Amino acid sequence: MRFNRKIAILGATGAVGQRFIELLQNHPWFEIEVLAASERSAGKKYKNACNWIMNSNLPNEIAEMSVVNVDLESVRKAGNVDIVFSALPGGLAGPIESELATEYPVFSKTSAHRMDSDVPLIIPEVNPEHAELIPIQKQARGWKGFISTDPNCSTIQLAMTLKPLMKFGLNKVIVTTMQALSGAGYPGVSSLDIIDNVIPFISYEEEKMETESQKILGIFKENRISAANFIISASCNRVNVKEGHLESVFVQLDYDPNVNEVEEAFRRFRGEPQKLQLPSAPETPIVVRDEPNRPQPRFDRNEAKGMSVVVGRVRKDPIMTMKYMCLGHNTIRGAAGGGILSAELMVTKGTA
Ligand code: NAP
């Protein structure tokens, strides 16, 4: 199957916006049409508005594009857009995304609408059926378009690993994160704060991990989502790593599977993106490493071009049932790559 969709990126100059641009180069279905950012950048050529921090070169045709403002009128004037990706700061994204959704499908990486009861919070392998909220949302809000959100970067990799454990009866989850610097955007945390240091606080991150996981793993029934009923406690830390969040996870399960059964559940986990062979779908969403000292951010974050979550150190726990480490690339699976995969899923289903 082949689809053609023209894309606008809001927050195109930021850490996630740049990753969207990088991942959309040579995408088989999606083509970048509009780049939008703050008033500081609007009117400038992209190469003059942005400090490009990707390892790849800034593509010439992108460098020469003009950046526009993030409002509906500016996006409409700048091109013939089919889909909007939003990578704006969460605090200001709410009204802007709502305005754009009157006309366009908006796939948002921001926290603004994630917990709205009629907005799906999607990980394509985990809860694609939550997209059934979209017609309900469109009708309730009278919009031509809609808002679909992706979870917070640290939540995505956690929820992907919890999903295959649900069959063992998931009761309680304790997670401690070691989160990369790029998760704080660009320029993000000051070097003098983070060199030789760990910061044991990330604003609102623990709350997001706790509430979002329960929504994602909840059940869509009678036109609404009922939150999953496990208890979860998160503790979040910023560490001196450029990319890739590492998480230490403890789970209490109703059943008492052995390590092999849990590893097998991770290894066999597949979802709709794999069945539909979506362009950005990794063959194996969860990769299990056997070595005692993996996963590590530097070695494992680019597994399947950053789209797989890497699990290791699966072992029995004397207090809970099981414990393991998981690692995900925060600006790829945790941000732009996850957003593109959601859009691919909805385009395939005729929703976007
Ligand atoms: P960032 O590097 O700080 O980029 C922010 C972007 O928003 C820039 O393009 C900036 O444009 C634009 N912007 C800032 N103020 C604006 C305003 N008043 N009006 C319009 N545009 C404005 O942040 P980021 O890390 O890319 O994060 C973007 C969003 O994704 C956030 O909501 C974040 O929570 C979420 N997220 C981030 C990650 C990650 O790993 N970084 C992962 C998942 C989700 P200018 O350059 O013109 O200022």
Side-chain angles (χ1 to χ4, degrees):
M1 251 181 300
R2 202 183 151 77
F3 304 93
N4 291 306
R5 297 287 187 277
K6 300 215 167 179
I7 303 295
I9 303 171
L10 314 181
T13 50
V16 176
Q18 293 186 28
R19 189 63 82 183
F20 269 118
I21 291 172
E22 185 181 61
L23 295 178
L24 288 173
Q25 296 310 299
N26 307 314
H27 190 283
W29 304 347
F30 299 157
E31 188 189 340
I32 297 174
E33 175 86 348
V34 173
L35 301 173
S38 78
E39 284 175 357
R40 293 179 290 277
S41 304
K44 293 183 185 163
K45 284 192 174 180
Y46 185 79
K47 67 181 178 192
N48 300 325
C50 143
N51 182 13
W52 185 253
I53 54 168
M54 300 292 109
N55 286 338
S56 58
N57 289 330
L58 172 59
N60 281 338
E61 62 285 5
I62 299 289
E64 297 302 323
M65 282 175 74
S66 290
V67 178
V68 302
N69 275 311
V70 296
D71 59 279
L72 177 62
E73 198 46 41
S74 304
V75 171
R76 201 192 271 143
K77 265 198 206 146
N80 215 352
V81 167
D82 300 303
I83 286 175
V84 174
F85 289 119
S86 169
L88 294 169
L92 60 90
I96 298 170
E97 291 177 353
S98 296
E99 187 193 24
L100 280 144
T102 58
E103 198 158 319
Y104 304 113
V106 176
F107 291 88
S108 169
K109 276 312 314 167
T110 81
S111 58
H113 292 286
R114 282 183 194 144
M115 298 308 292
D116 292 4
S117 62
D118 60 352
V119 172
L121 181 57
I122 299 236
I123 302 173
E125 284 92 344
V126 174
N127 60 342
E129 70 282 4
H130 289 196
E132 289 179 47
L133 280 175
I134 287 173
I136 298 164
Q137 178 198 128
K138 287 174 82 161
Q139 198 184 11
R141 304 199 188 202
W143 289 346
K144 227 171 101 198
F146 59 83
I147 298 174
S148 176
T149 58
D150 296 331
N152 171 267
C153 44
S154 49
T155 310
I156 291 184
Q157 61 187 75
L158 174 69
M160 282 177 69
T161 64
L162 295 179
K163 174 75 175 185
L165 301 182
M166 299 290 277
K167 67 176 181 183
F168 301 117
L170 185 62
N171 263 321
K172 290 183 184 165
V173 180
I174 296 177
V175 56
T176 301
T177 68
M178 289 148 266
Q179 296 183 222
L181 289 171
S182 57
Y186 184 80
V189 185
S190 146
S191 57
L192 282 181
D193 288 335
I194 196 68
I195 290 172
D196 188 31
N197 208 6
V198 171
I199 300 172
F201 173 70
I202 303 175
S203 186
Y204 295 114
E205 194 79 358
E206 294 169 358
E207 293 85 344
K208 287 180 195 167
M209 287 193 85
E210 292 168 2
T211 53
E212 292 179 15
S213 304
Q214 289 170 328
K215 177 170 178 178
I216 297 159
L217 294 164
I219 292 174
F220 178 79
K221 204 174 154 194
E222 291 167 0
N223 290 349
R224 57 185 290 275
I225 292 164
S226 307
N229 63 358
F230 57 85
I231 304 170
I232 171 165
S233 170
S235 181
C236 296
N237 306 281
R238 186 74 67 198
V239 299
N240 194 359
V241 165
K242 189 173 159 230
E243 281 162 334
H245 294 345
L246 184 63
E247 298 177 1
S248 170
V249 188
F250 294 72
V251 288
Q252 188 181 79
L253 306 167
D254 286 336
Y255 300 100
D256 190 20
N258 61 37
V259 168
N260 282 343
E261 287 171 308
V262 169
E263 287 186 340
E264 209 40 33
F266 286 141
R267 282 200 179 96
R268 284 173 181 271
F269 176 61
R270 300 286 185 280
E272 282 206 39
Q274 287 70 39
K275 272 189 222 137
L276 295 167
Q277 298 188 319
L278 298 178
S280 303
E283 227 169 86
T284 314
I286 301 177
V287 170
V288 180
R289 304 278 325 193
D290 295 325
E291 302 91 324
N293 62 351
R294 300 285 280 272
Q296 293 181 23
R298 193 143 47 93
F299 296 126
D300 297 308
R301 61 191 166 208
N302 288 323
E303 183 71 44
K305 297 186 182 154
M307 287 299 284
S308 288
V309 172
V310 184
V311 164
R313 307 206 62 221
V314 181
R315 60 232 195 266
K316 285 272 192 192
D317 184 68
I319 298 172
M320 305 279 272
T321 312
M322 238 355 124
K323 54 189 167 186
Y324 58 91
M325 305 296 293
C326 71
L327 175 85
H329 196 304
N330 54 296
T331 62
I332 301 182
R333 171 54 88 155
I340 293 169
L341 190 62
S342 291
E344 289 170 359
L345 179 72
M346 302 234 193
V347 164
T348 311
K349 289 177 171 287
T351 315

